[in-house]
Amino acid sequence: MKIIVDRERCVGAGQCVLAAPAVFEQNREDGLVELLRPEPAQDLHEAVTEAELICPSGAIELHS
């Protein structure tokens, strides 16, 4: 799995961080998403998928 985030689309809701804190973080300056692991380990895939689904702005894109 490869993750792509669109910081311009992000609204800083932080739902991704709550769903997958090992993969996403919020930037301290602007509150927007920061991607910590663009290709997370298999055990994180479920949490990342959840983060994509609950992102209110659709800023997270997953690729197999």
Side-chain angles (χ1 to χ4, degrees), residues 1-54:
M1 169 186 287
K2 182 172 172 124
I3 306 168
I4 297 174
V5 295
D6 184 345
R7 286 182 43 83
E8 290 183 23
R9 192 173 202 180
C10 178
V11 296
Q15 297 302 304
C16 58
V17 178
L18 293 174
V23 179
F24 302 101
E25 186 174 84
Q26 280 183 281
N27 181 283
R28 291 178 190 234
E29 301 284 318
D30 58 16
L32 301 179
V33 64
E34 292 287 334
L35 184 58
L36 302 175
R37 298 180 185 194
E39 295 185 29
Q42 179 71 35
D43 64 324
L44 296 171
H45 287 195
E46 186 176 333
V48 170
T49 300
E50 173 76 11
E52 178 197 28
L53 292 173
I54 64 175

